[in-house]
Amino acid sequence: PCAGPVESKNEAAMSELVPEPRQKPAVPMKPMGINANLLGYIGIDTIIEQMRKKTMKTGFDFNIMVVGQSGLGKSTLVNTLFKSQVSRKSSGWNREEKIPKTVEIKAIGHVIEEGGVKMKLTVIDTPGFGDQINNENCWEPIEKYINEQYEKFLKEEVNIARKKRIPDTRVHCCLYFISPTGHSLRPLDLEFMKHLSKVVNIIPVIAKADTMTLEEKIEFKQRVRKELEVNGIEFYPQKEFDEDLEDKTENDKIRQESMPFAVVGSDKEYQVNGKRVLGRKTPWGIIEVENLTHCEFALLRDFVIRTHLQDLKEVTHNIHYETYRAKRLNDNGGLPPMTTETEESHESNL
């Protein structure tokens, strides 16, 4: 009878020492994989439409320079390219105007609109180039003009109070007109392209290609390409600037087959097989400007405007302008020298 109470005390003590079993916390479920069906449409692809609207509002700038001897059809070709009267001659040029004694630079600006897209086109003409008896260093005014536009852009960039959108007057493309001699490039052609290819995108063009037979044209194109290669002259599109394999394949074809473009320009229309076409009338028929069997004008237009216009602008900004900018800032310890005008604007900003 005494053992009962003792056992009950021991059991009570044991029950105090042994804790009651606790419930295990609930294990959270593994997160489910992100599923497109679960989240639905996000709308990232609308960024393209946003960019399109933005650029449509601001518009585009494109500055094209034409260089070559008088009489090669520079003004006519530019008018044909943009199907507008945009050249110097069509902007009040006097036919009795004498050949300038030195190279002059004349820039004509136009606004072209197509399909709701506005483009401010500037055509820079170089009357007097190659027309003198002594053409030594006649490319210097052209090189000076191109560098002046880089300098103007650079000064706007380094200002304390910068404009939201810096006016772009830099030369994006230079069409160099080669005389259709059928023989070889002149020393002047080689010297010009050798000096200017480092500062601007040069596209060589054989002018008035209708003065040569098809065999002469093919042979002349091959000879020009060979001479440019031998003299180490890089024309646009430059090999080292090809970004990927697709660009390289496309540009290699242009470099090896199309360059230099043998073109014919005309801003007159004629009736051919019931259609109105741009062309040149000869005793043997109509030379159709946009017919690839007659000339390569359509290839040049597609190249400059439809496929490579934006790339021309990007190469100008990222390569030629950056090279000028780096050299300029390096030579002047980081900033271009301040003129009286920039000092005054600096003080007013402070």
Side-chain angles (χ1 to χ4, degrees):
C2 307
V6 174
E7 285 177 3
S8 61
K9 285 180 183 178
N10 289 338
E11 285 174 5
M14 289 293 288
S15 65
E16 288 176 7
L17 292 173
V18 178
E20 293 180 2
R22 296 180 182 176
Q23 291 183 347
K24 292 182 180 179
V27 178
M29 290 177 66
K30 290 183 180 179
M32 292 174 65
I34 295 174
N35 192 333
N37 296 329
L38 177 68
L39 296 178
Y41 176 68
I42 300 172
I44 296 173
D45 57 352
T46 60
I47 193 169
I48 297 168
E49 181 62 19
Q50 294 171 41
M51 290 169 71
R52 190 189 71 83
K53 284 182 180 177
K54 192 84 172 173
T55 49
M56 288 273 281
K57 286 179 184 176
T58 54
F60 301 88
D61 293 310
F62 188 62
N63 309 316
I64 185 168
M65 175 181 272
V66 287
V67 182
Q69 280 183 296
S70 297
L72 290 180
K74 301 188 296 294
S75 301
T76 306
L77 185 77
V78 173
N79 287 342
T80 317
L81 264 179
F82 296 97
K83 293 188 177 178
S84 299
Q85 298 295 310
V86 295
S87 69
R88 172 177 57 97
K89 286 189 179 180
S90 56
S91 303
W93 179 74
N94 184 7
R95 290 194 174 275
E96 296 177 359
E97 185 181 323
K98 293 180 181 178
I99 294 171
K101 293 182 180 179
T102 56
V103 179
E104 296 177 5
I105 309 292
K106 295 191 176 182
I108 307 291
H110 298 269
V111 175
I112 297 177
E113 187 170 352
E114 185 179 64
V117 178
K118 284 185 181 179
M119 184 173 75
K120 186 186 175 187
L121 172 71
T122 304
V123 179
I124 303 114
D125 201 353
T126 55
F129 177 84
D131 294 334
Q132 312 305 319
I133 295 171
N134 180 10
N135 289 305
E136 188 180 1
N137 298 337
C138 65
W139 58 81
E140 286 182 352
I142 298 170
E143 187 175 16
K144 183 185 175 188
Y145 176 85
I146 292 168
N147 286 328
E148 279 174 356
Q149 307 319 304
Y150 290 149
E151 181 69 20
K152 193 184 292 185
F153 197 89
L154 176 61
K155 282 184 176 177
E156 288 289 347
E157 270 197 334
V158 298
N159 276 344
I160 295 171
R162 292 196 296 185
K163 292 177 182 174
K164 187 178 179 182
R165 191 166 180 258
I166 299 172
D168 192 0
T169 59
R170 297 169 297 180
V171 180
H172 301 125
C173 171
C174 173
L175 292 180
Y176 186 77
F177 286 70
I178 299 166
S179 186
T181 59
H183 297 293
S184 59
L185 291 171
R186 300 171 303 160
L188 176 61
D189 300 329
L190 293 170
E191 285 299 315
F192 176 87
M193 287 190 271
K194 201 176 284 183
H195 281 84
L196 273 292
S197 62
K198 298 179 178 68
V199 296
V200 72
N201 296 316
I202 289 181
I203 298 175
V205 170
I206 298 171
K208 296 194 172 181
D210 53 330
T211 59
M212 296 185 288
T213 66
L214 292 176
E215 293 77 15
E216 287 172 343
K217 183 174 73 175
I218 292 166
E219 192 179 334
F220 188 44
K221 280 165 66 82
Q222 290 172 347
R223 193 173 293 140
V224 169
R225 280 198 296 267
K226 186 69 179 173
E227 287 190 47
L228 292 173
E229 187 182 341
V230 168
N231 287 276
I233 295 167
E234 284 282 343
F235 51 83
Y236 179 85
Q238 298 91 332
K239 290 178 184 176
E240 62 266 33
F241 304 152
D242 292 339
E243 293 185 354
D244 53 40
L245 188 61
E246 187 183 348
D247 286 349
K248 186 180 184 303
T249 306
E250 182 187 348
N251 290 339
D252 275 344
K253 189 177 179 183
I254 293 166
R255 284 186 285 259
Q256 293 164 13
E257 296 176 15
S258 303
M259 289 287 185
F261 295 97
V263 298
V264 177
S266 175
D267 46 14
K268 291 182 180 178
E269 287 188 346
Y270 295 94
Q271 193 88 14
V272 177
N273 297 327
K275 292 182 180 179
R276 302 291 293 176
V277 297
L278 290 170
R280 285 170 59 85
K281 192 173 183 179
T282 70
W284 304 276
I286 305 291
I287 298 166
E288 297 174 41
V289 167
E290 296 178 295
N291 189 335
L292 282 174
T293 58
H294 293 190
C295 77
E296 296 170 349
F297 168 80
L299 291 177
L300 173 66
R301 182 191 56 202
D302 289 354
F303 177 66
V304 172
I305 300 172
R306 294 182 180 172
T307 60
H308 284 71
L309 190 145
Q310 184 59 30
D311 189 62
L312 280 163
K313 295 181 66 173
E314 287 177 7
V315 171
T316 299
H317 181 77
N318 298 329
I319 308 296
H320 298 305
Y321 170 67
E322 280 300 314
T323 304
Y324 177 86
R325 177 181 168 277
K327 184 178 182 300
R328 189 78 173 79
L329 296 181
N330 203 35
D331 291 347
N332 292 286
L335 287 172
M338 289 186 80
T339 60
T340 309
E341 185 182 338
T342 52
E343 283 175 359
E344 286 173 2
S345 65
H346 177 69
E347 286 172 6
S348 65
N349 285 333
L350 288 176

